[in-house]
Amino acid sequence: MNDNEPRDFIRKIIDDDLESGKHAEIVTRFPPEPNGYLHIGHVMSICLNFGVAAETGGRTYLRLDDTNPGKESPEYVEAIKENVHWLGFDWEDRLTHASDYFDRLYQSAIELIEKGAAYVDSLSADEIREYRGTLTEPGKNSPYRDRGIEENLDLFRRMYAGEFGDGEHLLRAKIDMASPNMNMRDPAIYRIRHIAHQNAGDKWCIYPMYDFAHGLSDAYEGITHSLCTLEFEDHRPLYDWFLDQLQPEHRPRQIEFSRLNVAYAITSKRKLNALVEEGVVAGWDDPRMPTIAGMRRRGYPPEALREFVIRAGVTKKDKLIEMGALENCVRETLGDAAPRRMAVLRPLKVVLTNYPEDQVEFMEAMNHPGNPDFGTRELPFSRELWIEQDDFMEEAPRKFFRLKPDGEVRLRFGYIIRCNEVIKNDAGEVVELRCSYDPDTRSGTGTSDRKVKGTIHWVSCKHGMDASVRLYDRLFNDANPNKADDFHSVLNENSLEVVRAKLEPSLAEVDESVQFERLGYFCVDAQDTAVGEPVFNRIVTLRDSWAKIEKQAMQQA
Ligand code: ATP
Ligand code: MG
């Protein structure tokens, strides 16, 4: 692809529309329904809508598509606003709601009735379903379809005035009950629902249907390109029909692209809501959730999410992208940005028997091996140290280059040590290693040119800080939990492990994401950390341990 070529088919259409003079300015909208928190799929839509407008000097609305009272709430509205800002986008003064247009929509409905293009139906919900026909059989006309305009106007006004109960009447578009496209078989425009609205309060007891409200809201706002996912492709004729009938000043164009699905993650607000309601996770922002709130708390940087959707691309083909691809974006961003620190997740005590009891030395440690601008820090070193249990093996294979009985290893930024004695408890578990250090091997001093194959991390016992560290894994065992009949059956029981770790003292003050050397990227959990009781989240491991398994599983999914 050459540099001047648009990245995807939507950007191509937009470029063409600007070039031909069809539009002088691109106007888009991101229209979430506030019935749950935004997830990784929405990230794609946000980046696309805000992205194409920003790239061409256009504008984007954040529109809360709130036509379904009962399921929607101000809590979700606030979370959505916060999430979009955090991702790096700004709607400025263009925050709207479908409900802002309820008066205009009502007037447009009256206009349709006056044109003879809409009627009040009084069949029951069951009858309406029956009359609708099937994919292979045409529907049939409702006996109320030919009501006169005056009667329709009267009934619709009385629906508005609250004279009828839920489901007694329905305003429908008069299109074609035999259309092969089910969406065109006289779809509903307004239904009666005696329920309060999250934004409009008690004013209404009739509410417009999504298809009617959405396209007209687009038109009212002067949206030029209404970008949505492929499931709305069959709704486009209806979208256009309303515009043809009502001839608003601005005529938006609906363009569909495929949904972004990520392996091992669920991208349906309804199912994510079930995970929260059932207590499977600790909330919408549980760091295992593929919600923006969850990924943020987990420590995923917004740049990484934006990069991920660029790599995923905008297409018309359904796709399931590897979770590993998302994690790689996170690793790449943090690899450059995160300072290095030392932490021991599963501590094993080492006593340096030839090191003076009360001595403390300060070892100079680089904060970033690839970038001297990060500077250095001083690590306290003393007689008793914590090392990782995994870094010692009593019966080690020949190629094990960490610590083993009578073996040597270098402590990062410190000395070479030798393991002389292994202490066990009554259960036969290794609880302590007695080692000696070689004073001539202090890192960076060059008094000895002795080399050993392995280097391990450590924390001084006297100076180390206790912390809970949460190690997250995939929430599901199945690459495509969206497809599972019951997602409960594919939950990964081991998606969270909490360890009591030892951290180098400088981590008491950290408020950014860091790399724990040799272990992965971690951040403070802002919510659960209390004074003196730090809680860290593992953002991502250093390497993709799932790569192979995921590739295989995706081929079968
Ligand atoms: P959900 O099934 O999670 O409720 P939705 O499509 O009903 O998703 P909306 O709040 O209506 O959620 O979505 C707002 C916008 O985000 C819509 O334009 C929708 O097409 C888009 N969107 C939702 N999910 C995805 C996805 N997985 N990939 C890309 N865009 C998405
Ligand atoms: Mg929806």
Side-chain angles (χ1 to χ4, degrees), residues 33 35 232 269:
E33 183 182 356
N35 62 346
F232 290 102
K269 280 181 278 182

Side-chain angles (χ1 to χ4, degrees), residues 348-361 363 380-387 403 407 409-411 414-421 423 432-439 441 456 458-461:
L348 170 62
K349 188 182 253 184
V350 165
V351 178
L352 301 178
T353 50
N354 61 338
Y355 196 89
E357 289 269 352
D358 294 323
Q359 181 169 313
V360 178
E361 283 175 88
M363 305 301 188
F381 184 93
S382 63
R383 187 172 196 260
E384 298 192 354
L385 308 168
W386 301 114
I387 67 165
L403 202 54
V409 78
R410 173 171 284 287
L411 297 175
Y415 295 97
I416 292 175
I417 62 169
R418 164 181 291 274
C419 175
N420 304 315
E421 194 185 346
I423 315 270
E432 187 181 308
L433 303 175
R434 298 275 164 91
C435 301
S436 51
Y437 85 112
D438 177 348
T441 56
I456 62 173
W458 53 274
V459 166
S460 161
C461 295

Side-chain angles (χ1 to χ4, degrees), residues 66-122:
D66 52 356
T67 52
N68 247 323
K71 289 194 181 149
E72 300 162 353
S73 82
E75 177 201 342
Y76 297 139
V77 172
E78 285 315 306
I80 288 169
K81 285 157 62 181
E82 201 193 39
N83 290 167
V84 173
H85 270 156
W86 175 78
L87 253 190
F89 300 101
D90 190 10
W91 55 86
E92 296 171 3
D93 58 352
R94 291 175 294 277
L95 175 72
T96 58
H97 305 76
S99 54
D100 297 339
Y101 308 124
F102 279 177
D103 286 307
R104 270 174 103 172
L105 290 164
Y106 179 72
Q107 290 308 325
S108 294
I110 291 193
E111 202 180 320
L112 285 179
I113 298 173
E114 285 169 341
K115 292 183 57 158
Y119 64 98
V120 173
D121 198 354
S122 308

Side-chain angles (χ1 to χ4, degrees), residues 189-209:
I189 300 178
Y190 263 92
R191 66 212 189 281
I192 303 173
R193 291 206 65 195
H194 289 270
I195 184 171
H197 186 276
Q198 66 91 16
N199 183 42
D202 287 329
K203 178 168 179 202
W204 297 86
C205 64
I206 57 171
Y207 291 100
M209 300 301 291

Side-chain angles (χ1 to χ4, degrees), residues 113-114 116 118 120 146-158:
I113 298 173
E114 285 169 341
V120 173
D146 292 318
R147 270 179 169 146
I149 289 173
E150 285 313 313
E151 188 184 355
N152 281 319
L153 281 174
D154 175 60
L155 282 169
F156 186 53
R157 291 201 172 107
R158 288 165 60 200

Side-chain angles (χ1 to χ4, degrees), residues 464-468 500-503 505 507-509 524-526 528-536:
M465 172 175 79
D466 288 306
S468 289
R500 292 292 291 166
K502 304 287 182 181
L503 313 184
L507 283 166
E509 271 131 57
V524 173
D525 188 283
D528 290 342
T529 288
V531 181
E533 277 292 320
V535 176
F536 278 77

